[in-house]
Amino acid sequence: MRQTTGWAVHAPGAPLTPWTFERRDLRDDDVAVTVHYSGICGSDLRAVRHGDAASMPLVAGHEMTGTVTAVGPAVTRFQVGDPVAVGNVVDSCGTCPACLDHSENWCYAYPTVTYHGKDRVDGTMTQGGFAQEYVAREAFVYHLPPQLDAAAAAPLLCAGATAFAPLRHWQAGPGKTVGVVGIGGLGHLGVKFAHAMGAHVIAFTTSQDKAAQARALGADEAILSTDPEQMNAAQWRCDLILDTVGAPHRLDAYLRALTLDGTLCTVGIPDQDWQVDPMSLLYGAKRLAGGGGDGTRRVQEMLDFCATHSVLPEVEVVPASDINHALSRLEANDVRYRFVLDMSK
Ligand SMILES: [Zn+2]
Ligand SMILES: [Zn+2]
C-alpha cells in the first residue's frame, strides 16, 4: 500500500487534523496523482460537520488538480508529469445506460464517489482530496489544460461541472437569455459560463452588492429577487434559469420568468422540499429540471472550454494548514467565491 497524509475529521463537527493513511497500490489502469490544489465544496463542509461518525476518520475533498507521479501498466492516456484533475466521481458500473452515455455521475448503480464511496473492487471506503496523493482509474482522471492556473481551476471539478452541464444541455448561447439565481460558488461560474457561451445573462440576487458583483462577472442585467416589481418585469424573459440557491425558497417567480417551454434547472440542495404553485409550472408548459456534476466526456469538454474562453473561478487560495479557518468562513458564507487549499503548505 502507498502511504499518504491528509486532513481528516475524526468525529462530526470536530476540527480536521493531519492524518496518515493508505492508498491502494496501483491497479493496471490506475493513475497516482500528487495533489497540488484542492477546492473546498459545500458538500465537504456538510460531510465534516454532519457526516456519519461510523465512517470517520474521513478525508473530504473532491476538486483536485495535480501532477501524475505513477501509472499502472495498462494506462494509455497519461504519463508521469502530466498536469491532471480529479473530480467527485472516481468509478462507476460502466455498463448501465448512464455510464454508456458517459454520464457516470448518474450511474444507475450509483457511482463510486471520491470520498465516503465504496471501492468497487475491494469494498474499502474512498478517502478524498484534502491529501497529498490520490489514486484513481485513468478513465476518471482529466487532462488539465496547461493554460489554466492549477489553483484557480480546482473548483471546476465539481462546481464548474455542475454549472456547465445544464447550460450545455439546454444550449445556452447567442440569442438565448439565461438567468442565474444566486451569485455564490456555483452561481458565479454559471454567470461566467453563460456569458462566455454568448448568452444574454440575467443574474437574480437578493442584494445590491451581489448585483454589482454579478455585472462585474459578466451578467448583462441583475434583478433583485426581493423586489416584486423587478420580478414582475422579468416574466417570460429567460429560456433557461440555473437556480443555484441551497437555502429553501419558492420557485414560482422563477418559473414565471421563463419563456414558453423554458427550463428552470435546480442545482442547489435545500434541506426542505421544493414549493411550487402548479399554475406557475403549467402555464407556458414550463420545465422543472435538476442537475449536479457531470460525466467524464463533458467534464473534459468543460475544462477545454475554460482554456479556450479563459474562464476560471474566482478563488481564495489558502494554505492547507488553514483548512479549519477556511471551513468556518465557508460556514459563515464569508468567501468570494471558492476556497482552494494549497496542499504544499
Ligand atoms: Zn462538490
Ligand atoms: Zn453505471
Side-chain angles (χ1 to χ4, degrees):
M1 300 289 268
R2 312 167 70 89
Q3 276 209 334
T4 191
T5 56
W7 289 85
V9 62
H10 290 258
L16 276 58
T17 52
W19 182 54
T20 299
F21 63 103
E22 290 183 333
R23 296 284 190 204
R24 66 181 184 242
D25 287 322
L26 295 197
R27 297 171 189 152
D28 285 358
D29 63 344
D30 272 347
V31 173
V33 178
T34 291
V35 181
H36 298 315
Y37 297 100
S38 216
I40 304 182
C41 176
S43 56
D44 297 323
L45 184 62
R46 267 196 301 279
V48 301
R49 294 290 195 259
H50 310 293
D52 167 22
S55 55
M56 293 181 180
L58 174 77
V59 178
H62 60 201
E63 299 178 328
M64 289 163 259
T65 58
T67 305
V68 173
T69 51
V71 296
V75 168
T76 58
R77 295 169 49 236
F78 297 97
Q79 293 178 3
V80 171
D82 283 354
V84 291
V86 179
N88 57 350
V89 171
V90 290
D91 203 0
S92 69
C93 85
T95 57
C96 76
C99 288
L100 294 175
D101 184 51
H102 297 287
S103 298
E104 298 90 344
N105 55 317
W106 306 132
C107 174
Y108 287 16
Y110 202 74
T112 306
V113 289
T114 304
Y115 62 87
H116 199 210
K118 191 176 168 188
D119 184 88
R120 285 183 138 75
V121 175
D122 62 20
T124 56
M125 192 184 87
T126 55
Q127 296 286 5
F130 297 159
Q132 297 299 317
E133 180 178 72
Y134 200 88
V135 172
R137 294 183 61 198
E138 73 164 327
F140 294 85
V141 177
Y142 302 98
H143 286 284
L144 185 67
Q147 307 94 310
L148 293 181
D149 178 80
L156 292 173
L157 276 298
C158 174
T162 296
F164 189 83
L167 296 171
R168 265 292 188 253
H169 186 80
W170 282 286
Q171 298 168 334
K176 295 278 182 74
T177 296
V178 173
V180 178
V181 186
I183 307 301
L186 287 167
H188 94 286
L189 277 166
V191 168
K192 286 190 173 206
F193 283 139
H195 176 71
M197 289 171 182
H200 182 88
V201 183
I202 302 178
F204 292 91
T205 179
T206 52
S207 79
Q208 289 285 8
D209 180 39
K210 287 265 183 171
Q213 291 174 37
R215 285 194 196 89
L217 293 164
D220 299 282
E221 302 175 48
I223 287 177
L224 278 183
S225 54
T226 46
D227 179 346
E229 239 173 72
Q230 289 190 38
M231 289 304 285
N232 271 335
Q235 283 187 48
W236 300 110
R237 292 204 56 206
C238 298
D239 299 283
L240 169 67
I241 294 178
L242 182 67
D243 183 347
T244 70
V245 175
H249 61 290
R250 293 197 64 96
L251 300 178
D252 316 315
Y254 300 113
L255 286 165
R256 283 192 286 269
L258 293 172
T259 56
L260 176 64
D261 265 337
T263 301
L264 173 61
C265 182
T266 57
V267 293
I269 312 176
D271 56 9
Q272 289 173 23
D273 291 350
W274 298 115
Q275 291 201 320
V276 180
D277 164 14
M279 279 309 291
S280 69
L281 185 66
L282 270 57
Y283 196 78
K286 313 288 176 71
R287 274 185 295 248
L288 179 55
D294 210 342
T296 51
R297 184 174 49 208
R298 212 146 46 179
V299 169
Q300 188 66 58
E301 183 198 325
M302 179 267 304
L303 291 171
D304 296 343
F305 177 93
C306 289
T308 306
H309 297 269
S310 302
V311 175
L312 278 174
E314 304 290 318
V315 300
E316 191 175 330
V317 183
V318 297
S321 53
D322 280 354
I323 189 169
N324 290 302
H325 185 224
L327 286 166
S328 299
R329 284 185 52 200
L330 177 61
E331 210 160 24
N333 258 326
D334 174 25
V335 58
R336 274 190 195 178
Y337 290 89
R338 296 286 275 205
F339 282 115
V340 172
L341 301 172
D342 180 342
M343 298 310 299
S344 71
K345 294 178 184 167

